[in-house]
Amino acid sequence: MAVARYPGRMSRSDPRLYLEVPDVTFSEGLELPLPAGQAHYLGNVMRQGPGDAVRVFNARDGEWAATIQTLRKDRGTIILGTRERPPQTTEGVELLFAPLKRDATELVIRMGTELGVTCFRPVITERTNTHRLNLDRLTLIANEAAEQCERLDIPEILPLEPLKTVLSTWPNDKPLFAALERRPGENGPEKAAALLIGPEGGFSDAEVSMLQRHPAVHALSLGPLVLRAETAVCAGLARLALRRGA
């Protein structure tokens, strides 16, 4: 028999929103303002109103049942009820990836968030086609994905850096698994700290040599087929989850 993830009054049909108010600790009965975008979403997209139930969460305070107190256009407030889940950090890995076209990059952020990525580190490789990222847009996508998949924390998205720069400061004792096409995977540590996925077209020979020389890097095989980069992200994260028994 399946066990309900949220006991008691919590309903999985309630809208779920990421909400963090600086310098304010959540407590039962506390009234909190809603950001304009969330007020608009509740009223105009979800067709909610005063008295309706919502869920709010963040990594510091956990997840709380709440009730809409006021809601007008792009303004609103909620009243916190009981805490339904304590704070919990997602157990996953960092994802280093070469940015792709806009839709594919956004898909990587969404799927990576759902698969437990703790931090996204976009890197520039020799064959990277995109050298500009809208970090605000990508953060919004990560927030939405966290709301949907019921994790409590939001993965960090770092600014774009050259792969060579990232590797130059990467700790030797922080296992980084790199998906290298047509190269067999090595026996590495059971738990990885990070996954590296290259661009469409793969890494250059010089980059492969650079990766192979780094003591923290371990090759990760994703099978005999050549995968699209966004597909490789999912396959690689799934492989690493299996390695750590998740």
Side-chain angles (χ1 to χ4, degrees):
M1 179 178 178
V3 178
R5 183 173 301 183
Y6 296 104
R9 296 182 300 278
M10 186 69 76
S11 169
R12 294 188 65 178
S13 64
D14 296 338
R16 185 174 189 267
L17 303 174
Y18 172 74
L19 180 64
E20 188 168 19
V21 183
D23 302 320
V24 175
T25 302
F26 286 9
S27 61
E28 189 170 350
L30 181 66
E31 182 173 349
L32 295 173
L34 289 169
Q38 292 184 340
H40 174 83
Y41 170 77
L42 287 175
N44 294 280
V45 179
M46 298 301 294
R47 303 298 182 184
Q48 303 291 298
D52 287 333
V54 296
R55 292 183 277 157
V56 294
F57 71 96
N58 63 59
R60 181 194 63 196
D61 299 293
E63 183 153 357
W64 292 70
T67 303
I68 298 173
Q69 180 77 358
T70 63
L71 195 61
R72 299 184 185 90
K73 294 185 178 180
D74 60 352
R75 293 181 297 169
T77 59
I78 60 169
I79 298 291
L80 293 181
T82 57
R83 188 173 75 173
E84 302 294 332
R85 298 169 68 191
Q88 180 181 5
T89 302
T90 300
E91 293 186 8
V93 299
E94 295 183 27
L95 176 64
L96 286 67
F97 72 101
L100 308 165
K101 293 181 180 179
R102 189 188 69 175
D103 289 349
T105 295
E106 292 180 358
L107 184 60
V108 165
I109 298 297
R110 183 175 302 280
M111 294 189 301
T113 300
E114 294 176 2
L115 291 170
V117 168
T118 58
C119 177
F120 292 94
R121 298 177 66 109
V123 294
I124 299 171
T125 68
E126 291 186 23
R127 295 171 180 164
T128 297
N129 293 321
T130 300
H131 291 74
R132 297 180 62 185
L133 292 176
N134 185 336
L135 294 182
D136 289 339
R137 167 69 178 167
L138 297 181
T139 298
L140 177 61
I141 290 171
N143 288 0
E144 292 174 347
E147 290 171 350
Q148 185 276 328
C149 73
E150 300 184 348
R151 66 183 283 177
L152 294 179
D153 53 354
I154 306 296
E156 184 179 10
I157 304 176
L158 299 179
L160 189 61
E161 288 186 281
L163 175 61
K164 186 176 181 179
T165 301
V166 174
L167 288 178
S168 68
T169 59
W170 193 268
N172 291 345
D173 60 352
K174 186 177 181 181
L176 168 61
F177 281 74
L180 303 178
E181 290 180 354
R182 299 185 176 91
R183 289 173 174 84
E186 301 173 358
N187 291 323
E190 182 176 318
K191 291 189 177 181
L195 170 67
L196 170 62
I197 300 293
E200 298 290 357
F203 296 107
S204 69
D205 290 340
E207 287 170 335
V208 170
S209 296
M210 177 178 63
L211 290 167
Q212 291 175 329
R213 289 194 303 268
H214 199 294
V217 175
H218 305 272
L220 179 69
S221 173
L222 299 182
L225 302 180
V226 176
L227 306 178
R228 292 182 63 90
E230 59 268 37
T231 306
V233 166
C234 291
L237 291 173
R239 290 281 179 104
L240 294 186
L242 287 174
R243 288 179 69 92
R244 68 177 185 268

